[in-house]
Amino acid sequence: MGSEMREFSRRGAIGAAVGMGVSSALGYGHVAAFAQSLVPMPSHPLSLSRRLERSLHDGRLLVVSRSWEVEFTRQGQGIAITGTQLQAEVEAPPSLASFAEIEQSRSTANMWPILLSGNGKILVAGSGTDQEDIAAAIAEAEHVIASRPMPSSQQAAQRQFLNEMQQAGYSLLDRLPDDLFFPTGVPLQSTREISLPGGLTGQFEITYNAVAESDSLRLDHAERTILTRIGHTERHAREEWKLGEF
């Protein structure tokens, strides 16, 4: 899971927003921009969990599970979410034991607070699954692939290109979807064909679906999957988020 929360380390703007009020700190001249449809704020701490599963080149899995106690507080016309990590568990092959130990002990304190607008959209740390982000991730993968020497065998090329495409998919998991905490109910499915050197073709597919708790509009569960494929070889990343009572 290494860098999947790195976007949250950019806390400067959020810290300013918490101190100054959401609308003024982020440059919104009209409070109405946030007040259009204020979402109902949870009144007590909830449990937030994330399970991230990544397939490795040998078919085995790397799985990182974390959970937090989260609290929601009104900040101006928005909402600030603070969290305390409760549990971290890493399942990894023996060859990745040292990585697993580091990842399991890693603090996630710098990912908080997360700031939401009045309609429940994540500010600063969101935008991880829209079409522009997908296109940017693919473009970066194509650039890296084009800049590296072409391996001598097709099998080696396929493996190298698949690694780069997989890393592009992981970059999308570095950021949270805008509507994670208060889902809009609009799923995403995007499939892109990629032309690669040496006559190879690849496919990049991402899906995202978040379901709201029926009574409160807040997240019940969400799933995001990223599939990369070259020929008959494919790898996937899959994450699940859940928000609920203890």
Side-chain angles (χ1 to χ4, degrees):
M1 183 165 155
S3 64
E4 79 275 8
M5 291 297 184
R6 66 186 178 211
E7 190 71 21
F8 293 106
S9 64
R10 303 175 185 179
R11 297 291 96 190
I14 289 184
V18 171
M20 298 169 60
V22 178
S23 57
S24 60
L26 295 177
Y28 288 83
H30 302 284
V31 171
F34 285 96
Q36 293 176 12
S37 58
L38 295 179
V39 294
M41 187 181 68
S43 60
H44 55 279
L46 296 173
S47 171
L48 175 69
S49 65
R50 184 198 197 204
R51 184 180 189 273
L52 177 62
E53 175 183 291
R54 294 178 175 178
S55 62
L56 304 175
H57 69 278
D58 58 3
R60 289 187 286 184
L61 296 177
L62 173 64
V63 182
V64 181
S65 301
R66 295 185 187 275
S67 65
W68 300 266
E69 178 181 308
V70 294
E71 292 190 69
F72 296 69
T73 57
R74 190 68 71 180
Q75 293 287 339
Q77 296 298 313
I79 296 173
I81 307 176
T82 55
T84 302
Q85 183 169 286
L86 302 176
Q87 174 267 347
E89 182 179 354
V90 180
E91 304 170 41
S95 60
L96 295 177
S98 59
F99 166 83
E101 183 177 352
I102 293 172
E103 183 62 23
Q104 189 160 316
S105 62
R106 182 175 63 84
S107 171
T108 58
N110 66 349
M111 70 179 277
W112 310 101
I114 294 174
L115 205 64
L116 309 183
S117 64
N119 64 3
K121 295 293 185 67
I122 296 177
L123 300 171
V124 179
S127 301
T129 52
D130 64 29
Q131 298 295 337
E132 290 184 3
D133 285 312
I134 295 170
I138 293 174
E140 176 63 21
E142 290 177 325
H143 172 74
V144 172
I145 289 170
S147 66
R148 292 189 174 177
M150 178 74 179
S152 56
S153 72
Q154 188 177 62
Q155 185 177 12
Q158 182 171 305
R159 184 167 55 250
Q160 175 181 300
F161 298 160
L162 191 60
N163 286 339
E164 299 301 341
M165 290 170 60
Q166 188 177 34
Q167 289 303 315
Y170 292 166
S171 73
L172 294 171
L173 298 178
D174 286 345
R175 293 176 290 170
L176 298 185
D178 286 339
D179 68 335
L180 178 64
F181 289 96
F182 291 92
T184 61
V186 180
L188 168 72
Q189 182 168 4
S190 179
T191 302
R192 306 289 182 91
E193 301 293 333
I194 305 175
S195 296
L196 302 168
L200 294 172
T201 59
Q203 189 176 73
F204 187 95
E205 180 179 305
I206 180 169
T207 62
Y208 168 68
N209 188 42
V211 178
E213 202 273 336
S214 58
D215 295 331
S216 66
L217 303 183
R218 63 168 170 77
L219 174 71
D220 182 79
H221 63 276
E223 178 177 292
R224 182 163 48 172
T225 63
I226 297 175
L227 179 69
T228 51
R229 180 186 297 113
I230 297 179
H232 297 295
T233 305
E234 63 182 38
R235 295 182 194 167
H236 76 271
R238 177 174 176 266
E239 69 170 352
E240 295 178 300
W241 289 93
K242 293 182 180 180
L243 182 66
E245 305 289 340
F246 282 99

